[in-house]
Amino acid sequence: LHVEDDVVFGSEILMSCDARAPWTPQDSGVQTANLGLERIHLHTSANALDHCTFLPGARVGERSVLGSCSLASHRSYFTPSAIYTGSVQGRASYLRDYTATKALRAQEDRAMRDLDDPWVWWMF
């Protein structure tokens, strides 16, 4: 499991890195008995909301959002700054890309920096 800076987690998230589990597709052409563990990677500022499930090899791009009850299937990749939710036929549903103006992006970056600033917390 690899989690970068400022990743946000909701409640009751399941993460499984064991690729020998029964949810690994048999049609992948790889012997599952030889796979062992596969890394789950959450990039900077990714969001995983309540009740998300991550299967082996899932990668969530920078500032990407997995909405409530999303399924990150085996070896899935979620593009940066995109929003996904739920599950249809074993894959998270793509909703849309998130494109912010430079001003809004700067405001979001400042808010993320404030999360680590003790003065902000004490003044609140």
Side-chain angles (χ1 to χ4, degrees), residues 4 11 17 30 50-51 54 61-62 66 69 80 86-87 92 105 110-111:
E4 294 183 9
S11 64
C17 297
V30 178
D50 301 338
H51 307 285
F54 292 87
E62 183 176 345
L66 265 68
C69 301
S87 174
R105 181 88 181 231
R110 186 173 56 251

Side-chain angles (χ1 to χ4, degrees), residues 48-52 65-71 84-87:
L49 302 181
D50 301 338
H51 307 285
C52 285
V65 176
L66 265 68
S68 296
C69 301
S70 293
L71 173 64
Y84 297 83
T85 191
S87 174

Side-chain angles (χ1 to χ4, degrees), residues 52-54 60 65-74 76-78 83-95:
C52 285
T53 301
F54 292 87
V60 181
V65 176
L66 265 68
S68 296
C69 301
S70 293
L71 173 64
S73 59
H74 183 243
S76 58
Y77 175 68
F78 299 94
I83 301 171
Y84 297 83
T85 191
S87 174
V88 175
Q89 296 180 350
R91 300 220 175 255
S93 299
Y94 169 77
L95 292 181

Side-chain angles (χ1 to χ4, degrees), residues 4-26:
E4 294 183 9
D5 294 334
D6 300 323
V7 172
V8 177
F9 291 103
S11 64
E12 299 184 32
I13 292 178
L14 171 68
M15 295 188 179
S16 175
C17 297
D18 187 2
R20 296 169 294 179
W23 48 70
T24 304
Q26 297 298 325

